[in-house]
Amino acid sequence: MDDRGAGLYSAGVTITLDLVQTVAFAGVILFLGYGLRRLIPPLARVNIPAPVCGGLPVAGILAVLYFSNIQPIKFDTALQVPLQNTFFASIGFAASLALLRKGGPLVFGFFILSFVVAVLQNVVGGAVAWALGQHPLMGVLAGSVTLTGGPATGLAFAPLFEEAGVRGAATLAVAAAMVGIVSGGVIGGPIGTYLIERKVRGPLPGRPAQDTLENMAEAQLPTPVASSPEGEDVESYVLMKHLVVLLLTVALGVWVSRWLTSLGMTLPSYIGAMLVAALFRNLDDATGMFRLSQRVIDDIGNISLSLFLVMALMTLRLWELAGLVIPLLVIVVAQVALIAAICLWVVPRLMGRDYDAAVMSSGFCGFMLGTTANAMANMGALVERYGPAPKSYLAVPLVGAFFIDFANALLITFFLNLWR
């Protein structure tokens, strides 16, 4: 049967989904994931993303069937990479030099600290993996790739790590990312509480936090007044404009990635799109040429991310974890211990030893082990109890959601080329 249609073939019954049907199936699984988060509150409390809640059970069911020599469904994942590149392009659009200047020394210092710790994650991970008789790149995969980067970065880089000799890289990446997300959510709050009650110098705010969550990174970028040609719906026009800009960025990024690859560099496919997006963002900041809204770009990017994650997760080969569970667990435990020590003794000292520094330590634990959602949840629990932390809500989202993701991609590329 033509792979572009849906049909039945092979021993038993196998359903083949074309690319549109695969995306539709992924969308259904995504909303099942949202449903599971509502039904099982601990999943939401530790910030397990809805795509993971939906996609991993599908992968588990298909793995069980695999061991029974049954392949009930085949997916056409041709749109997986374009969706991935669209999400990372949205990250590139946040790489604003004007935004970095606005954050001042606090944000710049916090970014440098995060970058240095990401380097340490890869060095520690590589060393532990080598000591266990594994490829050092397995430690990098369970380092800044999946902990600082999260599951999306892990899945994006997985094919390159597979080519470099890390067997089952995609499955390892998801496993490491999930342990990291849970760990960041579990230990971040207690670390912040300990620092506030035992180590903070000076008075606490002593009043309820109000509107602290509004000080997110995207709110720091200017949002132009929405407008459209006469006779056009404003919201539709704005959405279409940003969608076209993102598509153009991804398309140009393909050429940039090919050019960089021709120079002998090993790169994920999304690097070109991120670089083009960063160029467009800073050009727009300087000239107002595109009148871009980061909120709209983030909305499109988050939709792309959710569908990409579900598609990647539901096609995981979970059986490839056999024989690698213990080495992976040892590496991740070492990584969690590293971040916990840095959050307890390094971040507070460098960030001022005050209340904001303690809250930032909790947020740092969240995004260096999991995601920015972990960081915000950790800090949110603290500010609800102790009072607002405005410096923390400026630095952590800017660095955790935008700047470190951009820098981490370049850092991972360096280690990938170093230890291939």
Side-chain angles (χ1 to χ4, degrees):
M1 164 167 277
D2 189 339
D3 284 343
R4 292 172 296 176
L8 304 179
Y9 70 102
S10 180
V13 178
T14 300
I15 302 173
T16 303
L17 303 184
D18 66 17
L19 61 88
V20 174
Q21 293 165 332
T22 298
V23 174
F25 184 85
V28 172
I29 297 303
L30 172 62
F31 280 94
L32 287 176
Y34 283 115
L36 283 174
R37 277 169 54 101
R38 286 194 296 270
L39 288 174
I40 309 174
L43 294 176
R45 279 199 294 272
V46 296
N47 298 293
I48 302 296
V52 175
C53 296
L56 273 184
V58 173
I61 293 170
L62 294 179
V64 171
L65 295 175
Y66 168 84
F67 285 111
S68 303
N69 295 318
I70 299 173
Q71 185 185 20
I73 190 167
K74 286 189 70 175
F75 301 107
D76 183 344
T77 57
L79 288 178
Q80 184 172 314
V81 171
L83 288 168
Q84 163 201 287
N85 292 354
T86 302
F87 164 68
F88 282 103
S90 73
I91 295 295
F93 273 107
S96 168
L97 295 177
L99 191 59
L100 186 59
R101 287 194 297 270
K102 183 177 180 179
L106 174 72
V107 170
F108 183 74
F110 194 60
F111 166 65
I112 295 299
L113 172 63
S114 301
F115 184 79
V116 171
V117 173
V119 173
L120 286 176
Q121 285 180 319
N122 292 338
V123 172
V124 169
V128 174
W130 177 80
L132 294 171
Q134 302 295 324
H135 198 303
L137 285 177
M138 179 182 175
V140 177
L141 189 65
S144 79
V145 180
T146 52
L147 301 182
T148 300
T153 302
L155 288 168
F157 271 95
L160 297 178
F161 278 81
E162 192 92 37
E163 292 173 9
V166 181
R167 181 170 57 90
T171 307
L172 288 170
V174 172
M178 291 306 98
V179 175
I181 288 172
V182 172
S183 300
V186 169
I187 71 173
I191 285 175
T193 301
Y194 169 80
L195 291 172
I196 290 169
E197 296 187 349
R198 302 286 184 89
K199 302 294 182 180
V200 165
R201 295 179 177 178
L204 300 182
R207 56 187 176 83
Q210 295 180 348
D211 300 326
T212 50
L213 288 176
E214 292 181 2
N215 196 17
M216 296 293 289
E218 65 182 17
Q220 307 302 317
L221 287 164
T223 300
V225 177
S227 61
S228 67
E230 186 176 351
E232 295 287 340
D233 179 76
V234 174
E235 292 184 356
S236 298
Y237 178 82
V238 169
L239 180 61
M240 179 176 64
K241 179 181 74 173
H242 286 78
L243 181 59
V244 169
V245 169
L246 274 167
L247 290 172
L248 178 62
T249 301
V250 171
L252 293 175
V254 171
W255 290 335
V256 173
S257 291
R258 286 176 182 170
W259 174 69
L260 292 172
T261 302
S262 72
L263 300 178
M265 300 166 61
T266 300
L267 298 165
S269 59
Y270 68 74
I271 285 291
M274 285 186 75
L275 293 175
V276 173
L279 177 63
F280 281 7
R281 160 54 66 195
N282 288 283
L283 182 62
D284 190 50
D285 286 349
T287 66
M289 180 185 301
F290 305 112
R291 299 175 58 81
L292 297 174
S293 166
Q294 189 62 36
R295 290 185 183 276
V296 178
I297 289 173
D298 284 347
D299 287 342
I300 298 172
N302 287 333
I303 292 169
S304 302
L305 171 63
S306 295
L307 292 173
F308 157 67
L309 279 178
V310 175
M311 291 175 66
L313 290 167
M314 69 189 188
T315 55
L316 279 180
R317 300 185 294 271
L318 292 178
W319 53 88
E320 293 178 340
L321 274 176
L324 297 174
V325 173
I326 292 178
L328 179 65
L329 184 61
V330 173
I331 294 169
V332 174
V333 167
Q335 299 284 15
V336 172
L338 170 69
I339 297 302
I342 289 170
C343 289
L344 283 169
W345 293 301
V346 178
V347 178
R349 292 173 184 269
L350 295 181
M351 294 296 109
R353 298 190 182 186
D354 58 4
Y355 171 68
D356 260 296
V359 176
M360 288 171 71
S361 295
S362 179
F364 187 86
C365 181
F367 76 77
M368 292 302 290
L369 285 177
T371 66
T372 308
N374 283 74
M376 302 311 295
N378 290 348
M379 296 195 303
L382 295 176
V383 299
E384 286 178 9
R385 179 177 178 183
Y386 296 104
K391 290 192 295 184
S392 303
Y393 273 86
L394 173 65
V396 171
L398 282 176
V399 174
F402 297 134
F403 295 126
I404 195 59
D405 282 341
F406 194 92
N408 191 35
L410 303 178
L411 178 64
I412 296 165
T413 300
F414 169 78
F415 276 95
L416 188 57
N417 284 278
L418 179 67
W419 285 341
R420 292 183 60 84

